[in-house]
Amino acid sequence: YFSINGGRELYKQLDFLFASNINQKLHQDFVDTFLSSYTSNCIFLFTAFLLGSSLWGNVLQFAISFFRGFGIGISAAYLFYTYRLNGAIYYAGVMLPCVFVSVVSLIMLQKESFVFSGRLLEAVYKKDEMTHILLHSRFNTYFRKLLLAMIITLIASLLDVALTFIFGSSFHF
């Protein structure tokens, strides 16, 4: 909606950003493409993890999902509107598989973030020692869930690299 109805100036900016991003992905080596994909996805994971490690994290977790979804949606709408069938095929074949896997890892971690943030809040109100001992154990579990989400995101980034280099040159934007 925003990429279509946002006006000419927004459309020109999106066109510039998308075209330069695709050209950069197609002309850089595997390592740079992987690092670009992995770091951009990990920013969301680390933000979710840090919010889950705070008392007020449950309130702000929705912002992560909103911004991630907004970015995905505006990219899809831009591709569909600008490049029609070619953009839809590119999105479905090259971008969507990577996006799906990375979003699954983010959702998985956000679920754990909600739980852990709630347990932190519980520990503030319960002053007994057993709650604090359990909290330490739960943090270790929470940290392992972050590592698992990072591994899933690693797979998504490798998939991004593979699909970009296998099919990306078939599209001309």
Side-chain angles (χ1 to χ4, degrees):
Y1 174 80
F2 287 102
S3 67
I4 295 167
N5 297 323
R8 264 295 167 216
E9 191 60 36
L10 176 62
Y11 183 79
K12 288 178 188 175
Q13 290 173 351
L14 287 175
D15 191 45
F16 172 75
L17 288 174
F18 182 76
S20 63
N21 185 30
I22 290 298
N23 287 331
Q24 181 183 359
K25 279 179 86 170
L26 292 175
H27 294 97
Q28 63 188 9
D29 63 7
F30 294 109
V31 174
D32 289 338
T33 302
F34 168 76
L35 289 175
S36 174
S37 176
Y38 191 64
T39 54
S40 65
N41 287 323
C42 281
I43 288 171
F44 291 101
L45 291 179
F46 287 131
T47 304
F49 180 79
L50 290 174
L51 287 175
S53 302
S54 68
L55 297 174
W56 42 268
N58 284 347
V59 176
L60 297 175
Q61 281 291 337
F62 296 106
I64 297 169
S65 299
F66 173 79
F67 285 115
R68 182 70 171 131
F70 186 78
I72 292 167
I74 205 163
S75 297
Y78 171 79
L79 284 170
F80 296 169
Y81 180 74
T82 305
Y83 301 109
R84 307 280 189 242
L85 183 61
N86 201 26
I89 292 170
Y90 179 81
Y91 182 78
V94 178
M95 290 179 68
L96 190 59
C98 317
V99 166
F100 178 77
V101 174
S102 67
V103 167
V104 165
S105 72
L106 179 62
I107 290 170
M108 182 189 76
L109 185 63
Q110 283 188 295
K111 176 191 156 286
E112 295 300 322
S113 294
F114 276 115
V115 171
F116 191 74
S117 184
R119 289 181 176 158
L120 275 175
L121 190 60
E122 177 187 357
V124 167
Y125 291 109
K126 288 186 176 181
K127 302 295 182 188
D128 64 335
E129 187 177 334
M130 189 61 178
T131 302
H132 293 283
I133 292 170
L134 284 173
L135 189 62
H136 179 70
S137 172
R138 290 176 176 157
F139 181 79
N140 289 338
T141 303
Y142 180 47
F143 188 75
R144 282 189 289 252
K145 298 287 183 167
L146 170 66
L147 295 177
L148 178 61
M150 289 177 69
I151 291 170
I152 293 170
T153 300
L154 178 99
I155 293 167
S157 297
L158 290 172
L159 183 62
D160 184 25
V161 169
L163 291 175
T164 297
F165 282 99
I166 292 171
F167 300 113
S169 61
S170 301
F171 297 92
H172 304 286
F173 297 113

